[in-house]
Structures are given as structure tokens and as C-alpha cells.
Amino acid sequence: MKIPSVVKPCETHTRNVQRTFTEAKYLKHARGLSSKLFDRGGGRFTLVSAPNLLHYLSDNGETEEIDLSFADEGKNLICKTAPYKLTVPKDKIGYEYISRISGKVSVELQSIAGQSVVIPPPEVEGNKITWKNVAPGIDFVLALKEDGVEIY
């Protein structure tokens, strides 16, 4: 058996990586948390490795694709397809973060400089939620990342 060739995802290999995705068979069972393996036929393989997470271990121990989008579940916006589970209540500025490995954190913005905040409806755009004008001239943004969340 041949050793799989390694393709680093950088600008010089962009064309090869794109061709690999369209012409090769993705070997889902052989993927890692930061890699994907493709069978190009004829005993040739391509390993695409990334510096960031591409997959996460689900609750049943399977390696699954990361999807940083939100599902609207009535009172909450939810992301369950990442290395963590995130619940964002629509009636608060904050979130509940449950790591699949280490624990749970709840965050809620209640005031800025001693002043209560306005709770506008959250606006979702891709992997970000924005609460606009929570205080005069201040927006609160929650962005999902492969390995956690960022607030600013």
C-alpha cells in the first residue's frame, strides 16, 4: 500500500485540493479532527490537513463535520454541530456553552458601566449573532469558531 501524499492547504496547492474534492472519494471513516483523506483511485490517496479543527467527536463517539450555523428552536438559537453545544436565548444577551470535553459556562450581559442594557432581538448572519445598540453606540457580537466562541 502506498503512503498517502500530504497536501498542505496553502495557496500553491489550492487547485490540487479543489480538484481532490471534486474527483476523489472522501473516506469519511478515515478522517481525523483536523484532516480529511481522499481515495484518488489506483492506490493513490490525498490527505488534506488543516491547522484548525474540521471535525468534532459527537456524543456517540463519531467524528462529524463542524457546522457553525444556528438552528432556530423557538425561544433559543442553537448550535449542536461543533466541539461544543451552544444555546442562545432570544430574550437575553448571552449564551450557554457546553464543552463536549470539559464543562459548562453561562454568560449574560446585564449592564454596562452600571446602566441596564437594552435587549434587542438577536440578528443572525452565518456564524455570528449581533445584538445592536445594547447601549448607546454599542453592539454585542457572538462569533462561533471551530474551537470555541468569541465575543466582542
Side-chain angles (χ1 to χ4, degrees):
M1 179 172 147
K2 287 186 178 181
I3 297 173
S5 59
V6 176
V7 177
K8 295 178 182 173
C10 64
E11 202 169 311
T12 57
H13 295 292
T14 300
R15 230 177 316 193
N16 291 337
V17 171
Q18 288 174 345
R19 187 174 66 239
T20 297
F21 280 110
T22 58
E23 295 176 5
K25 181 181 177 189
Y26 176 40
L27 301 176
K28 182 178 177 181
H29 68 279
R31 64 185 169 193
L33 293 179
S34 298
S35 64
K36 295 181 181 219
L37 183 63
F38 296 87
D39 184 345
R40 296 179 10 203
R44 296 178 305 142
F45 298 88
T46 297
L47 175 69
V48 177
S49 181
N52 58 308
L53 293 173
L54 301 173
H55 307 103
Y56 69 97
L57 289 177
S58 67
D59 292 338
N60 63 5
E62 296 290 323
T63 307
E64 301 291 343
E65 298 277 338
I66 292 175
D67 177 0
L68 299 177
S69 60
F70 289 96
D72 189 333
E73 294 192 0
K75 295 181 180 182
N76 300 309
L77 298 166
I78 307 281
C79 177
K80 297 181 197 174
T81 51
Y84 50 86
K85 297 175 186 177
L86 191 78
T87 302
V88 179
K90 292 181 183 177
D91 63 349
K92 297 179 182 175
I93 299 170
Y95 59 90
E96 180 180 85
Y97 176 100
I98 302 174
S99 167
R100 293 181 190 272
I101 299 169
S102 61
K104 175 178 160 180
V105 174
S106 294
V107 175
E108 182 179 352
L109 177 65
Q110 296 178 338
S111 65
I112 297 175
Q115 300 294 315
S116 295
V117 293
V118 175
I119 303 175
E123 296 179 18
V124 178
E125 185 177 332
N127 68 324
K128 293 181 183 176
I129 294 179
T130 303
W131 291 269
K132 292 188 175 179
N133 294 312
V134 298
I138 298 177
D139 295 345
F140 188 84
V141 179
L142 171 68
L144 302 186
K145 305 290 183 182
E146 291 87 0
D147 58 353
V149 298
E150 183 176 299
I151 52 177
Y152 52 93

